[in-house]
Amino acid sequence: MNEKLKEKTREALTSVLPITVIVLVLSVTLVPMEVGTLALFLTGAVLLIVGMGFFQLGAEISMTPLGQGIGGSIVRQKKTWLAVVICFAMGAIITISEPDLQVLANQVAAIPNAVLIWTVAAGVGVFTAVAVLRILYRVPLSKMLLGLYLLLFVVSLFVPNEFLAVAFDAGGVTTGPMTVPFIMALGIGFSAARSDKDSANDSFGLIALCSVGPILMVMLLGIFYHPTETIYDAVQLAPVITTQDVALAFLQDLPHYTAEVLQSTLPIVGVFVLFQALTRSFQPRQLVRMVLGFVYTIIGLILFLTGVNVGFAPVGNLLGSGLGSGPLRWALLPIGMLIGYYIVKAEPAVQVLNEQVEEITGGTISRHAMNRALQAGVAVAVALAMLRVLTGLSIYWVLIPGYAAALIMSRFVPPVFVGIAFDSGGVASGPMTSTFLLPLAMGACSAVGGNVVTDAFGIVALVALAPLIAIQIMGLLYARRTQAQTAPNILDDTVVELEEY
């Protein structure tokens, strides 16, 4: 187990190190920082690396077996109504426990936090049930996504402009580090129990459909509440002078994030206890391993969220302000691309998804190929987000052609790539996006005198959109390569048959 933890921590180090180097270079060139601020950032980076290592190992040995066990058990019951009820409840429970949703709720002043959280949870619950029904009844994912996104854009015509970007951002933040491992495993459990030739393809797509629910529900809330203000409280740097001040800044916030993570994981632990009591699915040795996995997951999330929120987010806002107010403000585009390229690897849920993709496809789609495609897509997305910050370009001009391209491509891409692509959209827009990229965009937007609500919000939505196109392009290339490899074999077989004749 210790060797496995070291391996996960090394992977986290390679993911976070590039972002750390970029910030260090910027701090001594374009955006000079105080030494105390830099110390906060570096301490946050260390916590981030250790936290990612613990979280990835914990999710692998606890959340994944639990999701697969519940999915397989529900299918074996052969009661559709039971699957719908349980999946609705599981989707809602896990969404309420998602830390990113709490962050979003605090920023939307027009709607009470509890109303927003419960409405989004209901949306995810409904679409979790819909996603499972799709697997059971073998409905093509591409057709379902086409209908749902057409519905979203029709409803968006009636949503106040000040609320539109927030609604699309909601789809990204609700599929975060708590939700993704469980829902991915739930889909694998359902499809494995089905045991047909298309079951592996249908194991993907749950996260994609679960991302639609929050967008639709937040849009409806925007229409119902007629919000006139949607604000984001800019993150503040902790006042630090000495190294002791740096340590105190993290220690003071540690209890808050510990309580938040414990509150978030309690419903999932309750589901685990109830499932085991009813089914006795796990043997004593596996139970001990899963309990240890939950402990690792909790420790990892506490360290990760503390490091990100205390060390990373304030520096992101500071970088954005410094770059936006300087004479080289257009440097935000290449710098945004560079940060976007590397930051996606630092998302904890991305690595969970990539490992499961590699496992389900038998190594046909490797985690390295997934990482490269996601990095390229997110780099372009962050550059577009910075362009919106600098020019005030409406988010419609990016979302409509982007989703149109993704949905058209889904008709020509192998089904497994469609599910992976749309799942990746929700996974890529995790806590690093909402707590580093969003403050970066907000700081830059404030510096250039733009409208923060309409121009800076939406970066999560663009990051969620990019993998839909990038992964499907990878799918098209994969399909062409497969056809090119099989064509000579077919020709050779034909020649042999003719010679024998």
Side-chain angles (χ1 to χ4, degrees), residues 262-282:
L262 290 175
Q263 183 181 355
S264 299
T265 53
L266 185 60
I268 299 175
V269 173
V271 168
F272 166 63
V273 172
L274 182 62
F275 177 71
Q276 176 62 16
L278 293 176
T279 64
R280 307 289 182 185
S281 297
F282 305 114

Side-chain angles (χ1 to χ4, degrees), residues 37 40-45 237 250 306-316 436:
T37 302
L40 276 176
F41 176 77
L42 293 175
T43 306
L237 280 164
F250 285 94
T306 304
V308 163
N309 286 284
V310 180
F312 260 61
V315 171
F436 186 81

Side-chain angles (χ1 to χ4, degrees), residues 66 98 158 175 186 229 291 301 313 323 325 364 378 425 490 499:
L66 178 60
E98 186 59 61
F158 304 95
T175 47
L186 190 68
E229 62 167 345
V291 169
L301 274 178
L323 291 169
S325 59
T364 302
V378 172
I490 295 172
E499 288 175 348

Side-chain angles (χ1 to χ4, degrees), residues 152-413:
L152 284 181
F153 281 107
V154 170
V155 174
S156 73
L157 298 175
F158 304 95
V159 178
N161 189 47
E162 296 80 9
F163 210 68
L164 188 62
V166 176
F168 276 97
D169 280 353
V173 301
T174 48
T175 47
M178 291 301 297
T179 311
V180 168
F182 184 85
I183 290 184
M184 276 289 299
L186 190 68
I188 292 169
F190 269 95
S191 58
R194 212 179 68 186
S195 300
D196 61 81
K197 63 184 181 66
D198 295 322
S199 62
N201 293 349
D202 284 342
S203 64
F204 300 103
L206 265 79
I207 296 171
L209 292 173
C210 290
S211 298
V212 174
I215 301 174
L216 181 60
M217 297 303 290
V218 174
M219 281 183 178
L220 294 175
L221 271 180
I223 295 170
F224 180 75
Y225 272 82
H226 299 288
T228 55
E229 62 167 345
T230 50
I231 63 171
Y232 182 90
D233 297 327
V235 287
Q236 300 295 324
L237 280 164
V240 292
I241 299 175
T242 66
T243 51
Q244 187 180 53
D245 294 333
V246 173
L248 288 175
F250 285 94
L251 290 174
Q252 287 171 357
D253 278 9
L254 189 63
H256 168 73
Y257 293 110
T258 300
E260 185 177 286
V261 170
L262 290 175
Q263 183 181 355
S264 299
T265 53
L266 185 60
I268 299 175
V269 173
V271 168
F272 166 63
V273 172
L274 182 62
F275 177 71
Q276 176 62 16
L278 293 176
T279 64
R280 307 289 182 185
S281 297
F282 305 114
Q283 299 301 316
R285 187 172 180 178
Q286 191 174 10
L287 275 177
V288 173
R289 180 179 171 84
M290 290 181 70
V291 169
L292 185 60
F294 278 114
V295 172
Y296 279 0
T297 302
I298 291 169
I299 292 173
L301 274 178
I302 291 171
L303 296 177
F304 181 88
L305 290 175
T306 304
V308 163
N309 286 284
V310 180
F312 260 61
V315 171
N317 191 276
L318 181 64
L319 280 177
S321 299
L323 291 169
S325 59
L328 300 176
R329 62 179 58 178
W330 285 98
L332 277 167
L333 270 66
I335 290 172
M337 286 190 73
L338 190 63
I339 292 175
Y341 182 83
Y342 287 108
I343 203 168
V344 69
K345 282 191 69 177
E347 291 286 5
V350 165
Q351 304 310 318
V352 174
L353 173 70
N354 291 351
E355 288 177 7
Q356 291 189 344
V357 168
E358 187 175 62
E359 180 181 346
I360 290 297
T361 61
T364 302
I365 307 170
S366 70
R367 72 182 73 179
H368 303 296
M370 284 285 294
N371 270 324
R372 286 194 295 271
L374 288 173
Q375 285 178 292
V378 172
V380 174
V382 177
L384 288 172
M386 293 301 125
L387 181 65
R388 291 187 63 242
V389 166
L390 294 171
T391 63
L393 180 71
S394 171
I395 196 170
Y396 267 127
W397 289 101
V398 183
L399 289 182
I400 291 178
Y403 276 108
L407 292 169
I408 290 170
M409 289 171 66
S410 70
R411 308 295 297 172
F412 304 98
V413 174

Side-chain angles (χ1 to χ4, degrees), residues 104-184:
L104 179 70
N106 289 331
Q107 316 313 322
V108 185
I111 297 175
N113 286 12
V115 174
L116 182 64
I117 289 171
W118 281 101
T119 305
V120 169
V124 175
V126 169
F127 277 84
T128 303
V130 169
V132 169
L133 289 174
R134 183 196 72 81
I135 293 175
L136 295 178
Y137 291 101
R138 306 180 189 184
V139 179
L141 179 63
S142 59
K143 291 182 178 179
M144 183 170 283
L145 289 172
L146 177 61
L148 288 173
Y149 277 100
L150 285 175
L151 173 64
L152 284 181
F153 281 107
V154 170
V155 174
S156 73
L157 298 175
F158 304 95
V159 178
N161 189 47
E162 296 80 9
F163 210 68
L164 188 62
V166 176
F168 276 97
D169 280 353
V173 301
T174 48
T175 47
M178 291 301 297
T179 311
V180 168
F182 184 85
I183 290 184
M184 276 289 299

